[in-house]
Structures are given as C-alpha cells and as structure tokens.
Amino acid sequence: ETGVTQTPRHLVMGMTNKKSLKCEQHLGHNAMYWYKQSAKKPLELMFVYSLEERVENNSVPSRFSPECPNSSHLFLHLHTLQPEDSALYLCASSQDVGMGGHQETQYFGPGTRLLVL
Amino acid sequence: AQSVTQPDIHITVSEGASLELRCNYSYGATPYLFWYVQSPGQGLQLLLKYFSGDTLVQGIKGFEAEFKRSQSSFNLRKPSVHWSDAAEYFCAVADSSNTGKLIFGQGTTLQVKP
C-alpha cells in the first residue's frame, strides 16, 4: 500500500466514549500532521510531529491526545468529545518539517469522518 | 499574521470552458504557496506549488498557477475544464514558524455543467 492511509474512514461515537484514529504513511517521511476540517471553515492544523517528537500543538483541547510511536504511525486518541468536534480529521505527512525557510510538501490521507452524538 | 483568502466560495463553469480560481495571501516575506484539490469523501491532493523561481507554475491535471507578488495573488487556471474537475479547491501558504504549518483558505467549490 502506498501513500497515507487512515482508519477508520467513518466513526460515530457518543460523548462518553473513547476512540482512536489511526494514520499510517508509507512514504518514508519524518513529519506527520493532524488537521481538522469542519464545515464552512478552513482546515485547522492540530498537531505536528517530527521524528516522533511533537513540535506544534495548535491550542487543541486536551480531549484530543496525539501519539506518534514511530515515524510511520500517528494516532489521535479521543475522549469525552463534544458534538462540535464532529468533522473530517485529516492526517498528512512530509519528508521533514520545513526549516530555515524551506517548506516541505505535505501529502494527505483520505480522512476520518467523525460524528459525535 | 499570515492569511489566505479565496473570494469565491462557489463557482460554476461549463465543461470545456476556461477556469480561474482566485487566491490572495497575506505574508511578509517570499511565500511558499500551494493549491490542493479535494474530491467528495477524499483527502487533499496536491495540484501544484510555488517555492521560488518561475512565477508560472505547472501542475497536474492540466492546471497552472501564477504568482504575482504585486497583487499578493496565486490564482489557479485551467484552459478547458472537464466534468471530473468538479471538487473543492484549497489555496494554502506555509507558515513562517518552521513547524510545517500550512494556512488554508476557506476553499472554492467548483461545479461543472455539461
């Protein structure tokens, strides 16, 4: 399998549930990202990992907990979510995080459509 | 702070007609600019990018974009639209913080009439 994959593709959960989103990249990249795409809003960056170390936390509530066990896998653990957290969650990867004015191209997975009831 | 504006939320064109999607950015230095396309139920696919050099950038699927510093614009164009081009298009600029952060516009939904 190539590119960036995400599972599950669709998820329905109650506000008291705990679930996890999984992302896997098969590109040999060192950086991985979580984005949130809500209706009628621009994509919002949530977290950035570089070589399994978190380098950006974009003021995300603690009910979202990322985990990057290795450079190929990224998880987003969800607990006690709110209905307004319903959105498409996109994972992306890039060769490295942009440094020194150099920007790397990010490649996106298909997303997980999350509905919180 | 950096920002991206896509003035057109929704555009409808006839198949075979030309297309231009507008993108304006706010950025102090030389920007890194991207156009992505998202088909229904799919993730984002990179169409093209501008990092430096030639201001007219060629991308996949017959798309091109022109960087105009004087107008702070990076408009996407295609000379002849196909029905399969119906999708949502996002313009993005790289954040200057060296964390890989992309700032996205709100997107433009393209509808193609037969």
Side-chain angles (χ1 to χ4, degrees):
Chain A
E1 192 157 12
T2 59
V4 181
T5 58
Q6 291 186 242
T7 54
R9 294 293 308 276
H10 301 272
L11 178 62
V12 180
M13 60 186 289
M15 289 190 284
T16 58
N17 291 157
K18 290 184 180 181
K19 297 287 184 183
S20 295
L21 309 185
K22 178 183 176 182
C23 175
E24 184 173 1
Q25 58 94 3
H26 309 269
L27 301 168
H29 289 167
N30 296 318
M32 297 187 77
Y33 311 77
W34 278 117
Y35 286 87
K36 177 183 179 182
Q37 186 178 27
S38 304
K40 303 189 189 307
K41 291 177 68 175
L43 275 81
E44 304 169 66
L45 179 69
M46 300 175 74
F47 302 103
V48 181
Y49 275 82
S50 176
L51 295 171
E52 301 120 59
E53 182 177 330
R54 192 188 310 179
V55 297
E56 175 84 5
N57 178 345
N58 205 30
S59 302
V60 179
S62 60
R63 57 185 184 269
F64 295 91
S65 175
E67 178 190 2
C68 188
N70 56 64
S71 58
S72 298
H73 293 85
L74 184 65
F75 295 89
L76 187 62
H77 304 299
L78 316 171
H79 63 98
T80 60
L81 293 193
Q82 303 299 311
E84 60 264 28
D85 296 322
S86 300
L88 181 67
Y89 289 85
L90 291 164
C91 175
S93 72
S94 63
Q95 184 60 56
D96 293 290
V97 170
M99 293 291 288
H102 176 72
Q103 178 66 23
E104 299 280 353
T105 299
Q106 294 179 26
Y107 297 87
F108 285 78
T112 294
R113 176 70 63 184
L114 173 67
L115 177 62
V116 181
L117 300 176
Chain B
Q2 298 97 324
S3 66
V4 176
T5 302
Q6 292 179 246
D8 305 305
I9 296 173
H10 194 108
I11 282 184
T12 300
V13 300
S14 298
E15 190 168 16
S18 63
L19 171 71
E20 183 169 30
L21 302 182
R22 296 183 290 165
C23 172
N24 294 99
Y25 65 90
S26 172
Y27 192 80
T30 300
Y32 295 97
L33 294 158
F34 304 81
W35 273 101
Y36 284 88
V37 61
Q38 185 179 32
S39 298
Q42 301 297 314
L44 276 69
Q45 181 182 22
L46 180 70
L47 283 176
L48 47 78
K49 61 189 177 186
Y50 171 77
F51 283 3
S52 64
D54 194 345
T55 56
L56 185 62
V57 180
Q58 301 297 320
I60 62 171
K61 303 185 180 185
F63 285 92
E64 66 178 26
E66 186 170 12
F67 170 61
K68 292 185 177 180
R69 184 188 299 276
S70 61
Q71 298 176 20
S72 298
S73 69
F74 188 56
N75 294 348
L76 181 71
R77 301 193 295 247
K78 186 170 184 177
S80 178
V81 169
H82 188 263
W83 64 266
S84 60
D85 293 324
E88 191 158 19
Y89 292 79
F90 294 93
C91 182
V93 65
D95 182 87
S96 59
S97 63
N98 288 334
T99 59
K101 183 176 181 178
L102 290 178
I103 310 295
F104 283 87
Q106 286 204 288
T108 297
T109 300
L110 173 65
Q111 184 177 1
V112 180
K113 293 189 303 185

